[in-house]
Amino acid sequence: MTTREAPASYRWYVLAILTIAQTCHGIDRAVIGLVLHPLGKEFALTGAQLGLLAGLAYGIPFAIAAIPFGLAVDRFNRKALMTGALTAWSAATALCGAATGFWTLMAGRAAVGVAESGGSPTGMSILSDYFDERKRATAIGIWYLSSGVGTALAFFVGGWIVEQYGWRWAFLAAGIPGLLLAPILFFTVREPKRGGQDANLESDIATAPLTQRLRLLFARPGVGYCVAAITCIATAIYGMSTWLASFLISSHDFSIAKAGMTVAIAYGILGSIGGFGAGWIADWLNARRGGFDPARTAMFGAVIPFITAAAGIAAVASTDVSMVLLFLMIAGFFSASYNGPIYAVIVTAAGPQLRGLAVSAVQMSANLIGVGLGAWLIGKISDIVGGKDGVAWGIGTAMLFCLAGGTLLALASRQIKNSQTTI
């Protein structure tokens, strides 16, 4: 049975399982942001050291492993790859709770980064073979609910665990769901036919050398701009979400539990609603106007980072707590909304034989530069500025990368549109 013939209910089941798996990814990546404050106290760490733990310790190993994982996704059984990656990153997260200091926690975070580099390219490649371009932005938008839900669970449940039992138990609790889900994924999700939802299967690309595959990928209109844009946006969004609890604690005297709940609502609940809504709206607009148009979809996504940046800067610049919370909720709502539309543009442009590589290239750049630099940059600026508002200055600076991301997406839209007119 091909994926085109698979019952609609089964496709949505696969989407649900993969979304839960990616939620475990979100929990295990985000939990470090909740425990930065107690970690800094217990191990006497500077802001830059905490930024390294949250960012580069995870981002560099992620980036190193991303391209090999992407090549594997385009050639081998994706269900098996996904199961192995899920098991590995969940176990590594749980083991972070046994850290004895800075270096052991660095090693644990590196292990999480290596394993999680396989999550996004594998999951998105499978989804693209269950949903065609008419529903792809919606499916990816739903899949990216995982980012918000994972953040919500990490900060909401994790905040309570940290206050009641300490930060070590938060790591252990974060790792358990993925270990329980892995066998369910392996035994109930069927490996789809590669390219089953696409008109043309470029089989000669599958065995081409890596350099040729990269040239083919980035020669496709808009892809390079989209990769650069997501990298910039990740610098701002991941950096802000990682340090947001510390900002609320240091600048506004929130408790860990209250700060965790605030981040959970803003980036978790509202971020999930915004992410799903943007993907659905993009597909709805395309359906009303004759079908999927990557230029229009990229321009729709370009508006979102500008709104996020404006709200984020306003949040850290406000002195009134009620205004801080209002702007944080707006920033959180739009924080993940670009994912569905822009990844739909990328995976559709890449085609079935380059999807794993395309998503891995995005993830490598976003994690090495975005996740790594964003968390470290905010920590470093916090050290330089000092005082209770040091983190606020760091977050405000990181938001400038969101503005750059929106500009790059507008350029992607123009490049795609120009290529369409020359055909």
Side-chain angles (χ1 to χ4, degrees):
M1 180 183 292
T2 67
T3 48
R4 283 187 181 274
E5 298 168 340
S9 59
Y10 182 72
R11 290 189 206 134
W12 293 107
Y13 171 78
V14 171
L15 175 58
I17 291 294
L18 293 178
T19 301
I20 296 170
Q22 195 70 2
T23 298
C24 295
H25 181 301
I27 293 170
D28 295 352
R29 186 175 73 168
V31 68
I32 187 71
L34 178 69
V35 301
L36 287 179
H37 197 71
L39 273 178
K41 285 188 173 181
E42 180 166 336
F43 296 138
L45 303 178
T46 66
Q49 286 177 309
L50 291 172
L52 284 172
L53 287 175
L56 290 173
Y58 171 94
I60 291 177
F62 189 113
I64 292 172
I67 295 299
F69 252 119
L71 293 173
V73 167
D74 287 334
R75 297 181 182 182
F76 303 118
N77 185 286
R78 292 162 289 178
K79 179 184 73 171
L81 288 171
M82 186 71 186
T83 302
L86 173 61
T87 302
W89 83 59
S90 300
T93 299
L95 288 173
C96 283
T100 58
F102 177 76
W103 292 108
T104 52
L105 197 51
M106 278 269 285
R109 289 286 292 163
V112 175
V114 169
E116 288 199 337
S117 68
S120 293
T122 310
M124 207 171 296
S125 178
I126 293 173
L127 283 183
S128 295
D129 283 334
Y130 273 103
F131 294 88
D132 63 21
E133 63 182 26
R134 295 171 300 172
K135 293 291 185 182
R136 205 165 273 160
T138 299
I140 294 174
I142 292 173
W143 185 67
Y144 263 106
L145 290 175
S146 59
S147 177
V149 173
T151 299
L153 290 172
F155 279 85
F156 183 70
V157 179
W160 177 81
I161 291 174
V162 171
E163 288 212 331
Q164 296 296 317
Y165 303 104
W167 61 268
R168 296 181 185 277
W169 286 97
F171 278 117
L172 179 62
I176 290 174
L179 295 174
L180 297 176
L181 179 66
I184 298 173
L185 188 156
F186 185 78
F187 288 110
T188 66
V189 172
R190 295 195 296 267
E191 174 74 3
K193 178 184 177 182
R194 201 178 297 274
Q197 299 292 342
D198 297 272
N200 297 308
L201 184 62
E202 300 162 301
S203 57
D204 58 318
I205 297 178
T207 56
L210 174 60
T211 53
Q212 182 181 344
R213 289 160 64 82
L214 287 170
R215 283 198 300 270
L216 287 168
L217 175 63
F218 284 97
R220 299 184 176 184
V223 169
Y225 281 124
C226 285
V227 172
I230 290 176
T231 301
C232 287
I233 297 168
T235 301
I237 299 302
Y238 182 79
M240 182 176 186
S241 63
T242 299
W243 282 96
L244 192 52
S246 294
F247 158 70
L248 293 170
I249 292 167
S250 60
S251 293
H252 298 286
D253 299 318
F254 279 38
S255 66
I256 290 179
K258 185 178 179 181
M261 184 179 295
T262 302
V263 178
I265 294 171
Y267 278 79
I269 297 172
L270 294 179
S272 296
I273 294 171
F276 166 73
W280 183 85
I281 290 171
D283 280 339
W284 178 77
L285 286 173
N286 282 319
R288 285 177 60 88
R289 299 187 180 185
F292 182 77
D293 182 343
R296 179 170 57 236
T297 306
M299 184 56 71
F300 172 75
V303 176
I304 295 168
F306 288 104
I307 300 173
T308 307
I313 292 171
V316 296
S318 300
T319 55
D320 182 80
V321 173
S322 61
M323 296 304 294
V324 170
L325 293 176
L326 172 63
F327 286 121
L328 283 182
M329 298 304 152
I330 296 172
F333 180 85
F334 287 101
S335 61
S337 297
Y338 69 95
N339 280 313
I342 303 309
Y343 272 105
V345 171
I346 292 172
V347 298
T348 302
Q353 295 300 315
L354 290 174
R355 281 190 185 124
L357 181 62
V359 178
S360 289
V362 175
Q363 293 291 306
M364 182 186 74
S365 181
N367 281 274
L368 178 62
I369 301 173
V371 172
L373 176 62
W376 176 84
L377 176 67
I378 293 173
K380 187 64 177 178
I381 292 175
S382 174
D383 286 341
I384 293 171
V385 175
K388 68 175 187 176
D389 293 325
V391 176
W393 278 95
I395 291 174
T397 302
M399 286 296 103
L400 299 178
F401 286 87
C402 244
L403 299 176
T407 302
L408 288 165
L409 289 177
L411 291 173
S413 176
R414 186 177 70 175
Q415 186 180 64
I416 294 168
K417 188 172 183 179
N418 288 342
S419 72
Q420 292 171 334
T421 59
T422 59
I423 295 175

